[in-house]
Amino acid sequence: MSTIRIAAAALTIAAALALTGCGATPATPAPTAPASAVADGPNETPAETEAPVVEAAPAPAPAPVAGDVITAEVAETLPEGVRAYPMADGTLVTVVDGQPLPAQVEAEIEAPLAAVVAHEPADKTGPNPAAAAAAAEARSAVARLGRTAVVVYPSFGVYGWRYQAFVSERQRLLDEPSSDRAVTMAAAEAYVAGQANPAAWVIIDVTAG
């Protein structure tokens, strides 16, 4: 009888211990994300950003050159020291301070005086008012370009062709006209070279050569 009770008690204790051991086993914790992953958030690829577009600065305009043919619009934007000379055909030609007078401009200024000289009467023995007026107009045209002119032209008289250089109607470089054109041209060139700013002077030469 006692043996049966002891055995039963042993089985009861064993069952209790089995039940206690099962209840004491800790549950496996759920996996957690690393701290760095939590701090940084989802591992997403950052969106690509377009580089800012930097527009290149416009190239500076080339320096004006004497003799350029320009439009009326460009003429309105010319810098100081540059002028637009209106030619007889309607075109505009640049004249730049410190640069030689463009050949086409000089030729156009000389043309009226050259025409008068070419038609000078062979029997004329006194001054030619038409030539003097044309020379004055040539000096005025040069003055409008910011320069001063020495005008050299011939006149025909009792001694044939004579050459004189005029700074103005009354200021002549030779006491008497020379029969040698080279002498008159040398006087004009020497006079211009002796000025404070020779580049601001122009020799208008309509001699017959």
Side-chain angles (χ1 to χ4, degrees):
M1 184 73 174
S2 60
T3 302
I4 294 173
R5 288 180 180 176
I6 292 171
L11 289 174
T12 301
I13 293 171
L17 290 175
L19 291 174
T20 303
C22 291
T25 303
T28 303
T32 58
S36 60
V38 174
D40 297 341
N43 186 16
E44 297 180 356
T45 303
E48 294 184 1
T49 58
E50 295 183 358
V53 177
V54 179
E55 296 183 359
V65 177
D68 285 348
V69 177
I70 59 175
T71 63
E73 289 76 13
V74 173
E76 294 177 356
T77 64
L78 291 176
E80 184 178 356
V82 183
R83 297 172 173 83
Y85 180 84
M87 302 289 288
D89 62 2
T91 58
L92 298 172
V93 177
T94 54
V95 176
V96 182
D97 289 354
Q99 295 185 19
L101 200 65
Q104 65 268 46
V105 172
E106 187 171 342
E108 186 156 303
I109 292 174
E110 294 173 350
L113 177 57
V116 171
V117 171
H119 293 87
E120 185 148 343
D123 59 351
K124 183 186 69 63
T125 57
N128 186 344
E137 178 55 36
R139 287 193 298 271
S140 296
V142 171
R144 289 193 292 271
L145 296 174
R147 308 189 187 199
T148 307
V150 174
V151 182
V152 179
Y153 67 94
S155 61
F156 190 83
V158 293
Y159 300 106
W161 288 102
R162 294 290 186 268
Y163 304 91
Q164 183 61 277
F166 296 84
V167 178
S168 67
E169 186 175 353
R170 295 184 178 182
Q171 183 181 356
R172 304 176 182 185
L173 298 185
L174 299 176
D175 293 335
E176 294 294 334
S178 173
S179 59
D180 188 345
R181 173 184 175 275
V183 171
T184 305
M185 288 300 300
E189 291 167 358
Y191 182 84
V192 169
Q195 302 305 309
N197 184 13
W201 287 73
V202 178
I203 296 177
I204 299 297
D205 174 23
V206 294
T207 56

